[in-house]
Amino acid sequence: MSDWTGVATLDELWEGDIAEVTVGSDVILLAHLPGSEVRAYQGVCPHAEYPLASGELDGAVLTCAGHLWEFDLSTGKGVNPSNCQLYEYPVRLSGDRVCVSIPEDGKPHYNRCRAQGEGLST
């Protein structure tokens, strides 16, 4: 079970923009991709937990400012490296209001990845 929470409006998140919002303990990256698609992913890089909203969006590809990892925000999959997947939150538009759904499952809503040859500490 989950609830829908309004986090922004389309006037606040223009096409081609990214933004960070927080809902409860979840830090979320919002992306308004070309073609008016809005996506929501974990707000921190799965590598070193650097804020993804500090990165640079080029089309649908986000480059993390921390270590230059790249993610395709149309799918959440890692581009470089390709062994990562961002946790994705459900999104819906209610008029011009962007709403996200936070699962009430008691689990962390983020994925962690490591660079090839790196150990992963939790």
Side-chain angles (χ1 to χ4, degrees):
M1 184 175 198
S2 61
D3 290 322
W4 290 95
T5 303
V7 294
T9 66
L10 293 177
D11 285 338
E12 297 167 330
L13 185 69
W14 291 15
E15 189 170 323
D17 280 349
I18 56 176
E20 181 180 289
V21 297
T22 302
V23 178
S25 63
D26 289 65
V27 177
I28 300 168
L29 174 76
L30 293 178
H32 192 165
L33 301 177
S36 297
E37 186 175 14
V38 178
R39 298 286 189 143
Y41 295 102
Q42 68 189 67
V44 295
C45 181
H47 174 229
E49 298 184 12
Y50 200 83
L52 288 173
S54 297
E56 185 176 321
L57 185 63
D58 183 8
V61 176
L62 176 72
T63 301
C64 177
H67 294 98
L68 304 179
W69 282 27
E70 296 174 314
F71 302 93
D72 180 346
L73 295 187
S74 63
T75 63
K77 292 182 181 180
V79 175
N80 182 21
S82 61
N83 65 329
C84 283
Q85 175 72 43
L86 296 175
Y87 181 91
E88 184 173 6
Y89 294 87
V91 175
R92 74 176 180 196
L93 296 179
S94 179
D96 75 336
R97 190 92 176 130
V98 178
C99 301
V100 296
S101 179
I102 309 297
E104 296 176 4
D105 55 9
K107 297 178 182 177
H109 302 126
Y110 62 88
N111 294 329
R112 295 279 296 159
C113 298
R114 60 178 170 237
Q116 208 166 339
E118 247 183 8
L120 178 63
S121 59
T122 55

